[in-house]
């Protein structure tokens, strides 16, 4: 999804249903919608709707490859760029900038022009290697991600530059709980008039198995600010995953922003299909 591609959640759900060995290569197809809204410290809210289609291929128990391409709709004062992996990149819109530091002595502009754009977002390619279990209870996934800048930068749907992410995820299983932690380094491509910083991202949380087909989870996610003028992103995230059949599963989730670098709130749904199971 557009906030973080549900990376930590995917690890948790996979842990709850993991098999020690993969009999044959496995494909998975997912379609979802993510809706978020927030002012990001500006005087006018930005609304984003992202609908990604994701194809995942697991040739063995150790490797997983994934490609995700969204259709994005955005409406706001022009200070937010959908970011895909890790939320959004915040810049100065025409609604007065960021809170007190809007360049007008803290005054809020009342005549604000909003823009509405839509189109294909950025294509994200991910490769993940799962290490052998440590002590038969600790699991580690190492991932590399590459953003192909397919989004139209003239419409404000992307930066027009590639991004790179290196990520490590660690989780364990303690009864019905699955505690997990994620640490990632994100190398951002610059906007035409704004230099974006490389940032650290981290997430901690836990999943919980309600039954053989149902799990829930919660996490606290943090990402450093991508520019000198905006705030870090801090979000509280929760989800429920439901196995509907041997082939189908569904997920509902919601998140609450705790800083101006995050949307005020967001929610979404994802449906996944595994053929031949």
């Amino acid at each position: 999804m557009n906030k973080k591609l549900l990376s930590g959640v995917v690890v948790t759900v996979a842990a709850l249903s993991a098999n020690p060995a993969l009999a044959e290569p496995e494909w998975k197809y997912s379609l979802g919608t993510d809706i978020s809204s927030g002012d990001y410290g500006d005087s006018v809210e930005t609304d984003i709707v992202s609908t990604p289609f994701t194809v995942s291929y697991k040739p063995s128990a150790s490797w997983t490859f994934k490609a995700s391409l969204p259709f994005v709709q955005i409406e706001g004062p022009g200070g937010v760029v959908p970011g895909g992996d890790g939320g959004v990149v915040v810049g100065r819109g025409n609604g007065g900038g960021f809170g007190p530091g809007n360049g007008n002595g803290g005054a809020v502009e009342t005549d604000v022009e909003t823009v509405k754009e839509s189109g294909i977002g950025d294509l994200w390619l991910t490769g993940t290697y799962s290490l052998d279990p440590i002590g038969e209870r600790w699991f580690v996934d190492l991932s590399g991600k590459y953003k192909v800048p397919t989004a139209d930068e003239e419409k404000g749907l992307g930066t027009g530059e590639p991004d790179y992410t290196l990520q490590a995820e660690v989780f364990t299983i303690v009864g019905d709980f699955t505690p997990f932690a994620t640490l990632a380094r994100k190398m951002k491509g610059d906007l035409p008039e704004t230099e974006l910083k490389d940032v650290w991202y981290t997430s901690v949380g836990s999943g919980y198995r309600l039954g053989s087909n149902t799990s829930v989870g919660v996490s606290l996610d943090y990402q450093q600010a991508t520019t000198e003028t905006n705030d870090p992103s801090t979000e509280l995230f929760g989800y429920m995953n439901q196995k509907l059949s041997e082939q189908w599963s569904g997920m509902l989730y919601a998140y609450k922003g705790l800083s101006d670098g995050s949307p005020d709130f967001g929610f979404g749904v994802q449906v996944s299909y595994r053929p031949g199971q």
Side-chain angles (χ1 to χ4, degrees):
M1 301 306 179
N2 85 317
K3 74 179 294 279
K4 61 177 182 179
L5 301 182
L6 295 182
S7 57
V9 174
V10 170
V11 168
T12 305
V13 173
L16 293 173
S17 59
N19 295 315
L22 189 67
E24 59 184 24
E26 179 182 275
W27 290 90
K28 183 174 75 170
Y29 307 94
S30 301
L31 181 65
T33 295
D34 181 277
I35 301 173
S36 65
S37 180
D39 57 25
Y40 301 91
D42 214 323
S43 62
V44 176
E45 291 187 348
T46 295
D47 300 322
I48 301 174
V49 179
S50 178
T51 305
F53 176 68
T54 303
V55 177
S56 177
Y57 176 63
K58 192 174 183 66
S60 68
S62 298
W63 286 99
T64 303
F65 301 97
K66 185 186 304 181
S68 184
L69 183 66
F71 183 84
V72 181
Q73 303 172 73
I74 182 170
E75 183 174 10
V80 176
V81 178
D85 181 38
V88 295
V89 176
V90 180
R92 185 181 296 276
N94 61 57
F98 303 99
N102 59 13
N104 298 310
V108 176
E109 297 181 12
T110 57
D111 187 13
V112 179
E113 178 185 359
T114 61
V115 294
K116 185 176 183 179
E117 298 287 357
S118 62
I120 297 297
D122 292 316
L123 170 65
W124 278 93
L125 305 176
T126 304
T128 299
Y129 181 74
S130 300
L131 302 181
D132 291 334
I134 302 172
E136 298 185 353
R137 59 176 301 177
W138 294 96
F139 304 87
V140 179
D141 286 350
L142 303 177
S143 299
K145 303 179 183 181
Y146 174 68
K147 186 191 81 175
V148 182
T150 52
D152 191 339
E153 61 179 307
E154 298 297 326
K155 291 183 177 181
L157 300 178
T159 64
E161 298 291 333
D163 291 355
Y164 307 87
T165 298
L166 297 176
Q167 179 172 292
E169 296 175 304
V170 181
F171 59 94
T172 187
I173 300 176
V174 183
D176 290 329
F177 289 91
T178 309
F180 61 86
T182 303
L183 179 65
R185 181 65 172 175
K186 302 182 179 183
M187 286 68 78
K188 300 286 188 177
D190 293 334
L191 289 163
E193 298 180 358
T194 305
E195 181 180 354
L196 302 182
K197 299 186 296 182
D198 297 341
V199 297
W200 288 101
Y201 165 85
T202 186
S203 175
V204 293
S206 180
Y208 179 74
R209 190 201 306 262
L210 292 176
S212 59
N213 295 324
T214 308
S215 60
V216 296
V218 64
S219 69
L220 181 64
D221 311 325
Y222 173 84
Q223 180 176 286
Q224 291 179 313
T226 53
T227 70
E228 296 293 341
T229 56
N230 72 322
D231 290 338
S233 171
T234 307
E235 299 173 13
L236 185 63
F237 181 87
Y239 76 93
M240 181 179 73
N241 186 77
Q242 178 70 43
K243 183 178 179 181
L244 304 174
S245 69
E246 291 301 318
Q247 290 80 34
W248 292 92
S249 63
M251 182 185 295
L252 298 173
Y253 65 90
Y255 49 98
K256 170 66 177 176
L258 305 178
S259 69
D260 282 343
S262 304
D264 294 337
F265 67 90
F267 60 92
V269 60
Q270 178 178 285
V271 177
S272 299
Y273 172 71
R274 290 183 174 89
Q277 299 298 305

